[in-house]
Amino acid sequence: MEGDGPTIKLGVQLLAAAFTMLVMTLTHGLGLIGIAQAFKLDKERLVKHDLNVRAILLMCGIALSLFALHTIEIALFAAFYLIIGAMQTLEEALYYSASAYATLGRTAEYFPDEWRLVGAFEALIGFLLIGWSTAFMVRNVDQLRTTKD
């Protein structure tokens, strides 16, 4: 059964990637719900606002909250990398995680081979979560721009 080693390692990486995807999706979804509640982002309320300085300040607050949410998610990935021993220092784990999450690339050389698939999946997860945040912002800005009858 010596040939099973690579298959088991691949399976462990895929399970870890699935686990992190699930944790990040839950974290992001709950974060968006929290942001929507904190800023009272319901359609009826947003439609009543004109697109003015106050609305721009509202969007700035939402954007800062989204930035904080993504920072938390990057930190969760970094903590995961420290726990599994893929990274040795917090700074190294945060740097790698932020680079992968934002799909900046050129990070594979910093990641151990036995966990590199998880690192690659972080880029995909980050890409999807950033897209989700973008859709969230666009939806809210669009509701602000709705004309009143």
Side-chain angles (χ1 to χ4, degrees):
M1 292 271 201
E2 285 182 34
D4 289 340
T7 303
I8 291 170
K9 288 179 184 177
L10 177 62
V12 169
Q13 285 190 75
L14 291 173
L15 282 173
F19 171 76
T20 57
M21 186 218 37
L22 178 63
V23 168
M24 294 306 151
T25 301
L26 288 170
T27 301
H28 203 76
L30 292 171
L32 292 179
I33 290 169
I35 291 168
Q37 289 177 347
F39 288 98
K40 298 178 177 77
L41 299 177
D42 58 81
K43 185 175 181 175
E44 294 78 26
R45 183 172 181 267
L46 289 174
V47 170
K48 292 178 187 176
H49 285 283
D50 290 326
L51 190 57
N52 56 23
V53 173
R54 188 171 178 206
I56 299 299
L57 291 174
L58 173 66
M59 290 299 115
C60 288
I62 295 168
L64 285 171
S65 298
L66 289 171
F67 183 80
L69 179 58
H70 288 287
T71 301
I72 290 166
E73 292 161 356
I74 288 166
L76 288 172
F77 268 111
F80 177 75
Y81 297 145
L82 289 171
I83 290 167
I84 63 172
M87 298 286 164
Q88 303 308 312
T89 68
L90 179 59
E91 189 275 334
E92 180 184 38
L94 285 169
Y95 173 78
Y96 176 82
S97 183
S99 297
Y101 188 96
T103 64
L104 296 176
R106 295 189 43 195
T107 55
E109 64 269 13
Y110 299 111
F111 213 70
D113 287 346
E114 63 270 14
W115 290 106
R116 66 181 172 189
L117 191 56
V118 176
F121 271 97
E122 181 181 0
L124 178 59
I125 294 165
F127 178 75
L128 292 172
L129 296 181
I130 291 168
W132 192 0
S133 291
T134 302
F136 181 80
M137 282 292 290
V138 168
R139 178 180 152 264
N140 287 299
V141 169
D142 187 52
Q143 289 178 357
L144 282 169
R145 297 182 61 187
T146 304
T147 57
K148 298 176 200 166
D149 295 325

Short mmCIF file of all heavy atoms in Angstrom, two decimals, residues 17 43 47-48 57 65 71 79 85 93 101 112 127 138:
data_model
loop_
_atom_site.label_atom_id
_atom_site.label_comp_id
_atom_site.label_asym_id
_atom_site.label_seq_id
_atom_site.Cartn_x
_atom_site.Cartn_y
_atom_site.Cartn_z
N ALA A 17 -9.26 21.96 1.79
CA ALA A 17 -9.77 23.02 0.91
C ALA A 17 -11.28 23.14 1.05
O ALA A 17 -11.82 24.26 1.12
CB ALA A 17 -9.37 22.75 -0.54
N LYS A 43 -34.27 47.56 1.28
CA LYS A 43 -34.61 48.26 0.04
C LYS A 43 -35.46 49.50 0.30
O LYS A 43 -35.22 50.56 -0.28
CB LYS A 43 -35.31 47.32 -0.93
CG LYS A 43 -35.57 47.93 -2.28
CD LYS A 43 -36.15 46.95 -3.25
CE LYS A 43 -36.37 47.62 -4.59
NZ LYS A 43 -36.81 46.69 -5.60
N VAL A 47 -34.11 53.20 -0.92
CA VAL A 47 -34.80 53.90 -2.01
C VAL A 47 -35.18 55.32 -1.59
O VAL A 47 -35.24 56.22 -2.42
CB VAL A 47 -36.02 53.09 -2.48
CG1 VAL A 47 -36.90 53.88 -3.42
CG2 VAL A 47 -35.57 51.80 -3.16
N LYS A 48 -35.38 55.52 -0.29
CA LYS A 48 -35.75 56.85 0.21
C LYS A 48 -34.59 57.84 0.17
O LYS A 48 -34.80 59.04 0.24
CB LYS A 48 -36.28 56.74 1.64
CG LYS A 48 -37.60 56.02 1.74
CD LYS A 48 -38.03 55.90 3.20
CE LYS A 48 -39.27 55.03 3.31
NZ LYS A 48 -39.65 54.83 4.71
N LEU A 57 -21.12 58.60 2.09
CA LEU A 57 -20.55 58.24 3.40
C LEU A 57 -21.05 56.87 3.85
O LEU A 57 -20.28 56.09 4.45
CB LEU A 57 -20.87 59.32 4.43
CG LEU A 57 -20.16 60.66 4.23
CD1 LEU A 57 -20.67 61.68 5.25
CD2 LEU A 57 -18.65 60.49 4.34
N SER A 65 -16.30 48.24 6.20
CA SER A 65 -16.76 47.01 6.86
C SER A 65 -16.41 45.78 6.03
O SER A 65 -16.00 44.74 6.57
CB SER A 65 -18.26 47.07 7.10
OG SER A 65 -18.58 48.13 7.96
N THR A 71 -10.31 41.07 5.75
CA THR A 71 -9.12 40.97 6.59
C THR A 71 -9.27 39.85 7.60
O THR A 71 -8.32 39.08 7.85
CB THR A 71 -8.84 42.32 7.29
OG1 THR A 71 -8.66 43.34 6.29
CG2 THR A 71 -7.60 42.25 8.17
N ALA A 79 -4.23 31.68 10.19
CA ALA A 79 -4.27 30.85 11.39
C ALA A 79 -4.30 29.37 11.02
O ALA A 79 -3.61 28.54 11.64
CB ALA A 79 -5.48 31.20 12.25
N GLY A 85 1.01 23.82 10.25
CA GLY A 85 2.46 23.85 10.13
C GLY A 85 2.97 24.21 8.76
O GLY A 85 4.16 24.01 8.46
N ALA A 93 2.53 33.84 7.38
CA ALA A 93 1.20 33.29 7.08
C ALA A 93 0.26 34.39 6.58
O ALA A 93 -0.50 34.18 5.63
CB ALA A 93 0.62 32.62 8.32
N TYR A 101 -5.25 35.20 -1.35
CA TYR A 101 -6.66 35.61 -1.28
C TYR A 101 -6.98 36.66 -2.34
O TYR A 101 -8.03 36.61 -2.98
CB TYR A 101 -6.94 36.16 0.11
CG TYR A 101 -8.40 36.44 0.42
CD1 TYR A 101 -9.17 35.49 1.09
CD2 TYR A 101 -8.98 37.65 0.10
CE1 TYR A 101 -10.49 35.75 1.40
CE2 TYR A 101 -10.30 37.92 0.41
CZ TYR A 101 -11.06 36.96 1.07
OH TYR A 101 -12.37 37.22 1.38
N PRO A 112 4.63 25.07 1.29
CA PRO A 112 5.13 23.69 1.22
C PRO A 112 4.34 22.87 0.19
O PRO A 112 3.12 23.03 0.06
CB PRO A 112 4.89 23.14 2.62
CG PRO A 112 4.53 24.28 3.48
CD PRO A 112 4.10 25.40 2.60
N PHE A 127 -11.25 35.01 -4.60
CA PHE A 127 -11.83 35.59 -5.81
C PHE A 127 -13.36 35.59 -5.73
O PHE A 127 -14.01 36.61 -6.03
CB PHE A 127 -11.34 34.79 -7.03
CG PHE A 127 -11.89 35.26 -8.34
CD1 PHE A 127 -11.42 36.42 -8.93
CD2 PHE A 127 -12.87 34.53 -8.98
CE1 PHE A 127 -11.91 36.85 -10.15
CE2 PHE A 127 -13.37 34.95 -10.20
CZ PHE A 127 -12.90 36.12 -10.78
N VAL A 138 -22.69 46.78 -5.26
CA VAL A 138 -23.41 47.24 -6.45
C VAL A 138 -24.91 47.22 -6.20
O VAL A 138 -25.62 48.15 -6.57
CB VAL A 138 -23.02 46.38 -7.67
CG1 VAL A 138 -23.95 46.63 -8.85
CG2 VAL A 138 -21.58 46.64 -8.07
#
